[in-house]
Amino acid sequence: MKKIAIITGSAGGIGLIIAKKFLANGYSVVFSDINKEGLEKAINEEKQKGFDCIGIKCDVTKEEEIKNLISQAMEHYGRIDVLINNAGLQHVANIEDFPTDKFEFMIKIMLTAAFMGTKYVFPIMKNQKFGRIINMASINGVIGFAGKSAYNSAKHGLIGLTKVVALEGATYGITANAICPGYVDTPLVRGQMADLAKTRGVSVEKVLDEVLFPLIPQKTLIDINDIAELALFVASEHAKNITGQSMIIDGGYTVQ
Ligand code: NAD
């Protein structure tokens, strides 16, 4: 029987790579994103390769859209094995300059959305006696970073939510885990480094060497494919007794 995975924020970045990994490993995938054009492009590319996937536009800050995502996925595939709450964004500002509505919005995207997704998928997974909830947290969910009050609060909260989901799903074959990446080698992170390089009038490599790598014992960005592999394992049968955990993949950043 083919397993079905829903991935939020999968039109680009980490979500897209996870979706491709799941497809390549026999899953049917429900792509979902606020970006309708990106979503269509992503599923068309995968369909052309012969993979089984659908795209459902969903803004995870809207409860009705999350409900619709779960019910449409269910209507199409008849079961949901994996939900990956991945959609997220960043805003950096000191607390006194951080707009309160921006703070609330970020909590909504990265914490409330995961709660709502879990809420609507839980009855289905309980009924199946199988489910995997994977929450994309961050090392910002484990340690503090100045300037990231909303992001840190959301990701710390997400790790707390993961533990409760693990407990409530424990006797139903449902696991819940958080993946906590450090600095991932994505266009977004490369772009931030390029901006910094421009401001300083130096190369991107120099910025990496002087700004980021002194903080990372392994002196490397995290390979996006390794995150997808970890998600695939957490979703697998062999990870059935791993639940409520925060899996840090950060090149040693947080062990110092
Ligand atoms: P990204 O910006 O490349 O991709 C995020 C995706 O989410 C985009 O496709 C975007 O359209 C979508 N999205 C944004 N708002 C949405 C909404 N309201 N509803 C639905 N979709 C929405 O970001 P990424 O780097 O791939 O990050 C993915 C997740 O990984 C996030 O939760 C982020 O916090 C986490 N993370 C990223 C890094 C990193 O270094 N990139 C590190 C740790 C954790």
Side-chain angles (χ1 to χ4, degrees):
M1 181 189 50
K2 256 198 156 188
K3 287 206 167 134
I4 316 301
I6 301 180
I7 305 165
T8 69
S10 46
I14 296 171
L16 177 60
I17 302 301
I18 294 177
K20 285 172 184 271
K21 180 72 71 185
F22 274 63
L23 285 170
N25 283 273
Y27 281 79
S28 297
V29 172
V30 179
F31 285 69
S32 155
D33 206 285
I34 195 171
N35 173 356
K36 201 160 178 276
E37 292 75 41
L39 193 59
E40 273 163 21
K41 185 172 172 283
I43 58 160
N44 287 338
E45 275 178 24
E46 297 310 315
K47 276 183 177 166
Q48 269 171 18
K49 293 180 207 158
F51 290 127
D52 179 27
C53 54
I54 58 170
I56 300 172
K57 195 233 156 208
C58 172
D59 175 351
V60 295
T61 63
K62 307 221 163 74
E63 186 157 14
E64 279 313 308
E65 294 195 21
I66 291 188
K67 254 192 199 173
N68 177 59
L69 167 66
I70 306 292
S71 66
Q72 271 201 48
M74 201 51 194
E75 219 168 273
H76 190 87
Y77 286 116
R79 59 183 289 121
I80 298 167
D81 298 283
V82 183
L83 171 66
I84 305 186
N85 293 304
N86 166 77
L89 49 80
Q90 182 63 273
H91 181 78
V92 181
N94 290 333
I95 289 177
E96 62 271 35
D97 302 320
F98 211 110
T100 303
D101 57 352
K102 184 96 190 170
F103 184 96
E104 286 177 339
F105 183 68
M106 289 176 72
I107 298 288
K108 210 161 188 192
I109 288 196
M110 290 178 285
L111 179 55
T112 315
F115 161 75
M116 293 190 293
T118 304
K119 177 174 173 164
Y120 294 111
V121 90
F122 234 37
I124 296 162
M125 288 182 171
K126 280 186 172 177
N127 200 33
Q128 293 168 177
K129 291 253 182 279
F130 183 90
R132 297 282 186 264
I133 311 268
I134 301 176
N135 292 324
M136 195 54 66
S138 162
I139 53 170
N140 293 253
V142 182
I143 56 174
F145 280 76
K148 298 187 180 176
S149 53
Y151 193 78
N152 269 246
S153 302
K155 297 300 190 185
H156 274 74
L158 189 55
I159 287 173
L161 173 69
T162 304
K163 291 175 184 170
V164 176
V165 177
L167 294 175
E168 293 194 19
T171 54
Y172 295 92
I174 302 170
T175 70
N177 290 287
I179 293 180
C180 305
Y183 287 93
V184 185
D185 197 349
T186 57
L188 199 104
V189 170
R190 287 265 166 195
Q192 283 171 1
M193 294 301 116
D195 288 348
L196 212 53
K198 215 168 158 190
T199 320
R200 294 179 173 209
V202 296
S203 68
V204 172
E205 282 64 36
K206 201 164 169 61
V207 169
L208 284 170
D209 275 345
E210 288 180 359
V211 179
L212 219 46
F213 289 166
L215 303 169
I216 305 171
Q218 289 187 333
K219 313 235 170 286
T220 180
L221 295 173
I222 306 303
D223 184 338
I224 198 166
N225 284 297
D226 293 349
I227 296 177
E229 282 289 349
L230 180 57
L232 189 68
F233 172 69
V234 170
S236 76
E237 207 63 55
H238 293 296
K240 59 184 173 298
N241 298 127
I242 301 174
T243 196
Q245 300 303 309
S246 307
M247 290 163 192
I248 300 174
I249 169 167
D250 70 350
Y253 195 117
T254 51
V255 294
Q256 300 170 89

